[in-house]
Amino acid sequence: MKKYLLIGCLLIGGSAAHAQTILHNVEEALTLARRHNPDLQAARQTAQWQAGAVDVAKAGRLPTLRATSSLDYNYALPVQLVPAEFLGGRPGEYQRLQFGVPYNLTAGLEANYGLLNPTLSHDIRLADLNQQVAEAQVAAQQDQLATQVVRAYYLTALAREAMQISEVNLRNADTLLILARERYNAGVTEQLDLNRTQSTRLSLADQLEQNRLAYTNNLRQLNLLVGQEVLVPADAAKGWAVNEELPAATTPDDYPQIRLKASQLNYFQAAIQREQATRLPQLSLYGRYSAQAQRREFNFLDFEKPWFSIGVVGIRLDVPIYNGGIRLLNIARAKIRADIARTEMEAERRRQLAQDEEWQTSFAQARRSLALSRENLDLSTQNLDLALLKYQAGTYTYDQYLTVFNESLQTQNRYLRTLADAMIYGGLLRTRP
């Protein structure tokens, strides 16, 4: 039984590992996110749903036909007193006449066709513009998702790089701690030097755990964005080219966020015209046909008794005159909403331009600094190796080695920060349309 459980665990573990996708570069992460991100999929479904509203609006141009039926029971029929002499009675007397019968059954058809409906064409245009807004919303959400994926991918890669550097530092600290214990046991160093060496080793171990936590959190965020389990290779940060050229910048009007604001402005401007069209008359063609049966008793299944038909066709003209000023208020509100959309579009254009300038400036500075940081990192690694050799040979004190070691840590941190800026800002600029 244990053998089968073990085989099952191995199969489950193998299938889980196989389900994870290795992302060798940020472009692969962006491709997965565009395919599998649930929020982006929901936005696409919303755009498809909105496309159906256009067909619904266009259906208003077609004639309508409906069947109607009603069954009435007149439990109190109207009564009128008339002179009896009109009915052959004696003068001066009155006869009671009851109008109608208790049971009435009506069945008919009604047809309507709009000959002139100014608001309908605007409703169709608004539905089409609303679909364009939904499609622009998908593009804007995809652009925002790309920004998040770029940050999450490179932060995950850098956390992996920081883990590797921390592991090397921790191994050096272990070597130093072994040497410090040997010297302490031999009576060459004091307890203080041994304690300081142990403290340095504990600090580096804690830093490694922090980097592992950062890697786990960033990878979890990346999994959430791309919509499935992924892995980032250990050399993802090393493969980034410092001299990589960026594509030529496009005009801000091509940015998805600005196109979204522009489509919203077009929608609200069309809404003004729609509200203005409500002041125009409407012309429609209508027709009705009905058959009615009137019975004193509930016996409508007796088809020998007569049915009375009524039919009418005509043209209906509706001219709006006054409705309490609601139309004028709606027009004023629509104009204000269009002004708001215009202000939002201009604000979004300024924000996008400022963001472009920030990204380009930060990337240019990071790219200039990254080459120097890498050279400085190689130099500090050599210095640390030389300091360790001198400390092992007894020509360097622990304080001297610790000074070189702290300088190396500072160089590593500067290198990682510069690499993060270069990778992230470069990736963000490449995602521009």
Side-chain angles (χ1 to χ4, degrees), residues 48-243:
Q48 294 176 354
W49 171 78
Q50 191 60 46
V54 180
D55 297 330
V56 173
K58 290 181 179 179
R61 291 176 173 173
L62 302 176
T64 60
L65 179 66
R66 66 172 182 170
T68 61
S69 178
S70 64
L71 175 63
D72 300 326
Y73 171 64
N74 300 312
Y75 61 89
L77 295 173
V79 177
Q80 179 68 41
L81 296 178
V82 298
E85 57 185 318
F86 290 113
L87 301 176
R90 292 181 298 178
E93 295 183 354
Y94 292 90
Q95 184 71 33
R96 297 177 59 186
L97 294 181
Q98 188 179 58
F99 294 90
V101 292
Y103 299 100
N104 291 275
L105 177 63
T106 303
L109 295 174
E110 292 185 5
N112 287 276
Y113 178 69
L115 298 177
L116 176 63
N117 190 345
T119 60
L120 179 59
S121 59
H122 291 286
D123 289 336
I124 296 175
R125 183 164 179 258
L126 285 176
D128 184 67
L129 290 175
N130 203 16
Q131 180 187 0
Q132 296 178 20
V133 171
E135 293 173 352
Q137 180 67 44
V138 173
Q141 188 165 345
Q142 182 171 303
D143 180 71
Q144 184 179 5
L145 175 64
T147 301
Q148 297 174 346
V149 170
V150 167
R151 293 184 182 275
Y153 178 83
Y154 285 128
L155 287 176
T156 304
L158 289 169
R160 189 73 177 268
E161 178 79 4
M163 285 172 51
Q164 295 175 355
I165 295 177
S166 297
E167 289 171 354
V168 173
N169 292 336
L170 187 59
R171 287 196 296 268
N172 293 335
D174 289 336
T175 302
L176 192 64
L177 182 58
I178 294 174
L179 181 60
R181 285 175 178 169
E182 292 176 352
R183 291 188 175 185
Y184 175 75
N185 294 332
V188 178
T189 60
E190 298 179 355
Q191 180 71 36
L192 179 60
D193 290 339
L194 179 60
N195 293 343
R196 293 176 65 189
T197 307
Q198 290 177 335
S199 178
T200 301
R201 196 268 176 195
L202 293 175
S203 299
L204 293 175
D206 179 67
Q207 184 179 10
L208 176 59
E209 293 302 322
Q210 295 296 326
N211 290 333
R212 286 175 177 170
L213 177 61
Y215 172 77
T216 302
N217 292 337
N218 290 325
L219 184 60
R220 183 183 298 111
Q221 180 66 20
L222 184 60
N223 290 335
L224 182 63
L225 292 173
V226 302
Q228 65 181 56
E229 296 291 329
V230 296
L231 287 176
V232 177
D235 58 346
K238 296 183 176 64
W240 192 82
V242 65
N243 296 322

Side-chain angles (χ1 to χ4, degrees), residues 250-286:
T250 57
T251 59
D253 292 337
D254 294 332
Y255 292 171
Q257 301 294 343
I258 297 180
R259 285 193 283 111
L260 172 61
K261 296 298 181 181
S263 62
Q264 291 175 343
L265 176 59
N266 293 335
Y267 176 85
F268 291 119
Q269 287 177 337
I272 298 176
Q273 299 175 359
R274 194 270 178 194
E275 295 298 333
Q276 292 173 341
T278 59
R279 306 172 65 181
L280 300 177
Q282 296 183 6
L283 186 65
S284 60
L285 178 66
Y286 69 92

Side-chain angles (χ1 to χ4, degrees), residues 175-176 179-180 182-183 188-189 384-398 400-401:
T175 302
L176 192 64
L179 181 60
E182 292 176 352
R183 291 188 175 185
V188 178
T189 60
L384 186 61
D385 293 338
L386 293 175
L388 181 59
L389 292 176
K390 289 187 175 183
Y391 180 72
Q392 292 174 341
T395 58
Y396 251 28
T397 64
Y398 180 75
Q400 290 176 312
Y401 173 80

Side-chain angles (χ1 to χ4, degrees), residues 154 236-246 362-375 415 418-423 425-427 430:
Y154 285 128
K238 296 183 176 64
W240 192 82
V242 65
N243 296 322
E244 183 176 358
E245 294 297 331
L246 297 177
S362 300
F363 175 71
Q365 177 61 36
R367 187 161 61 173
R368 287 192 299 266
S369 301
L370 184 57
L372 300 176
S373 297
R374 284 179 174 173
E375 185 178 354
Y415 164 73
T418 305
L419 181 60
D421 291 340
M423 295 175 69
Y425 287 116
R430 283 195 303 273

Side-chain angles (χ1 to χ4, degrees), residues 12-34:
I12 294 175
S15 61
H18 180 70
Q20 292 178 331
T21 303
I22 299 178
L23 302 178
H24 298 90
N25 50 59
V26 70
E27 284 75 17
E28 294 181 0
L30 291 172
T31 301
L32 282 181
R34 295 188 186 102

